[in-house]
Amino acid sequence: MKLTSTIRTLNSIVLFSLMCITSSVYAQVSLPERNPCKLSFRAGAMSNNGDNAANLRLRTSGDVMYTINLDYAAVGEAELVTDLLHFRGAGMSLQTAALYARPEFKVSGSLPTNAGDHRVGLTQLEMVRAALVFTFNGTDPYVMFELPYHSNHEAVLGICGMIARTEKTTMTSYATDSLGITSIKGDFCQALGVTFGWNWRIGDSGWVFGLNGEVMFVVNKSHLVTFETDENSIYG
């Protein structure tokens, strides 16, 4: 009797184990909803544009003797991107960013007799920019950053604008004593333009390489900085 009971118990255990092994469990796993907002922080360097330099001219002849421009400076930026629309392989987003830097004003001589760079001032540069961006690709029905599927490339095109200003500007003794500069005034500068670019996914990885740029033109003849010289200075 004991042997028969033991055999029955073993048979029950084996049968239960086989049922556990051969049974399949089905479950549906849903991906979390993608956050439409993304906040990022960046740092880089700001260069200058020679076409935007201020000219110091001799009052007697009008010849350009010096040019004043912003020097290279470190830049910090925070950007918020908000997804507005996704339709197959196309998307639309709103990008807003705030930039901060503390560049120097450098003066350069245009003649060998006054060649050399000198610092004439230090300012605080603040910029707010926004862009309405459209992204699209011609082959994949998915956008670049999406789950569970994504495209491997996309084109970027949009319209953009910015408002910048300088404030808390200080001058050096070289600016006041040697050049006769009496004030460096900051103002609001507005610009509108276009943004464009192209993004590639590196293989099947999560890394993306992109080339993007913006071209903007000043509106309302606004100036970022105004320089003024003393009436007794030989430069105007």
Side-chain angles (χ1 to χ4, degrees), residues 188-233:
F188 285 95
C189 179
Q190 304 92 32
L192 294 174
V194 295
T195 179
F196 51 89
W198 192 271
N199 296 324
W200 297 270
R201 184 170 299 279
I202 302 176
D204 293 329
S205 68
W207 294 89
V208 174
F209 176 77
L211 294 174
N212 296 271
E214 295 178 353
V215 178
M216 289 186 278
F217 301 91
V218 173
V219 296
N220 299 326
K221 296 182 180 180
S222 57
H223 297 280
L224 184 62
V225 180
T226 301
F227 294 89
E228 295 181 357
T229 57
D230 187 82
E231 295 181 355
N232 298 325
S233 174

Side-chain angles (χ1 to χ4, degrees), residues 1-11:
M1 293 294 294
K2 291 183 179 181
L3 180 59
T4 303
S5 177
T6 303
I7 293 175
R8 289 179 179 177
T9 302
L10 291 176
N11 289 337

Side-chain angles (χ1 to χ4, degrees), residues 100-162:
Y100 177 83
R102 288 188 59 83
E104 297 178 341
F105 289 110
K106 287 289 187 69
V107 61
S108 300
S110 58
L111 298 177
T113 55
N114 56 22
D117 294 340
H118 300 275
R119 186 173 71 174
V120 295
L122 180 67
T123 190
Q124 180 174 295
L125 175 64
E126 301 166 352
M127 181 187 298
V128 176
R129 62 180 181 86
L132 184 63
V133 176
F134 302 89
T135 58
F136 52 91
N137 62 79
T139 57
D140 300 325
Y142 312 108
V143 295
M144 173 68 78
F145 304 100
E146 189 62 274
L147 292 175
Y149 307 106
H150 54 74
S151 67
N152 291 322
H153 58 272
E154 69 176 6
V156 180
L157 185 64
I159 56 176
C160 57
M162 73 92 183

